[in-house]
């Protein structure tokens, strides 16, 4: 659900409660300052980012918190690991071109500039995901990478 921010002059509790009964709605009373408006928008964005999770085998990956959760334990990911894992999860079971990853993560058009860094990063992600043998990060022809979850 897309978040919606109402700008309103309503001030009755009953009217405000109607707006707030939906989790993706918030409101701001008129008149408001630019700073107050900006803070509300940032709050809504943080809520969206924090609430998106991916199920990767028996792991729960939360990119907003940069964590992998597995059997009661949290593994914290650095920013780059988090970004690459999010890209792979968004394309679950599909090969993702290394050039695309390099461009998204490092703003480089030529992945060969960052190939060693990407291989090191993938190695760290494999190590973090090793507890579930059904989760596999695969490379194809040295140019593409994907994450898959084997069916039980």
């Amino acid at each position: 659900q897309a978040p919606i921010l109402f700008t309103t002059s309503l001030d009755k509790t009953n009217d405000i409660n109607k707006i707030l009964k939906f989790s993706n709605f918030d409101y701001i009373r008129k008149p408001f300052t630019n700073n107050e408006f900006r803070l509300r928008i940032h709050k809504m964005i943080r809520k969206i980012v924090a609430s998106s999770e991916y199920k990767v085998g028996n792991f729960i990956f939360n990119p907003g918190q940069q964590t992998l959760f597995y059997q009661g334990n949290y593994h914290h990911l650095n920013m780059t690991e988090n970004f690459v894992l999010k890209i792979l999860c968004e394309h679950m079971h599909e090969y993702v071109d290394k050039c695309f990853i390099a461009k998204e993560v490092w703003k480089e058009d030529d992945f060969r500039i960052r190939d060693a860094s990407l291989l090191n990063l993938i190695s760290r992600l494999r190590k973090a995901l090793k507890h579930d043998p059904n989760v596999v990060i695969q490379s194809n022809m040295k140019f593409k990478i994907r994450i898959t979850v084997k069916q039980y």
Side-chain angles (χ1 to χ4, degrees):
Q1 290 180 333
I4 298 172
L5 180 64
F6 282 101
T7 58
T8 182
S9 57
L10 298 174
D11 60 357
K12 294 180 182 172
T13 305
N14 193 30
D15 293 330
I16 300 302
N17 287 341
K18 287 178 185 176
I19 294 171
L20 295 178
K21 75 178 182 177
F22 299 100
S23 64
N24 62 326
F25 285 69
D26 200 354
Y27 74 99
I28 188 168
R29 283 197 186 128
K30 296 177 189 175
F32 52 85
T33 66
N34 286 342
N35 189 47
E36 184 181 3
F37 181 74
R38 191 171 35 256
L39 289 171
R40 290 281 185 155
I41 295 297
H42 285 283
K43 178 183 171 190
M44 293 177 88
I45 291 170
R46 281 193 309 273
K47 185 177 179 183
I48 292 167
V49 170
S51 67
S52 62
E53 292 182 339
Y54 296 91
K55 182 151 177 47
V56 183
N58 291 317
F59 286 92
I60 302 294
F61 168 49
N62 186 319
Q65 296 178 2
Q66 292 183 219
T67 57
L68 276 171
F69 180 74
Y70 180 76
Q71 294 184 345
N73 296 308
Y74 284 94
H75 176 81
H76 186 76
L77 301 169
N78 70 35
M79 191 170 66
T80 311
E81 292 166 340
N82 188 66
F83 198 43
V84 170
L85 185 56
K86 186 173 187 293
I87 291 170
L88 293 175
C89 286
E90 287 171 347
H91 300 276
M92 184 72 69
H93 302 288
E94 300 171 8
Y95 281 102
V96 181
D97 198 294
K98 284 184 180 180
C99 290
F100 175 78
I101 295 171
K103 194 169 195 164
E104 291 293 310
V105 176
W106 295 290
K107 308 302 181 217
E108 300 281 351
D109 288 327
D110 187 355
F111 80 89
R112 292 171 290 189
I113 294 170
R114 296 289 188 162
D115 195 40
S117 297
L118 183 57
L119 291 174
N120 187 319
L121 195 141
I122 293 299
S123 177
R124 291 194 315 263
L125 287 175
R126 284 179 175 137
K127 185 176 179 181
L129 296 164
K130 72 180 180 186
H131 300 292
D132 187 344
N134 294 308
V135 178
V136 179
I137 297 178
Q138 299 172 317
S139 297
N140 178 2
M141 301 181 295
K142 295 187 178 185
F143 297 110
K144 297 184 180 197
I145 301 168
R146 74 175 176 182
I147 189 168
T148 61
V149 179
K150 295 177 188 174
Q151 299 299 319
Y152 301 101

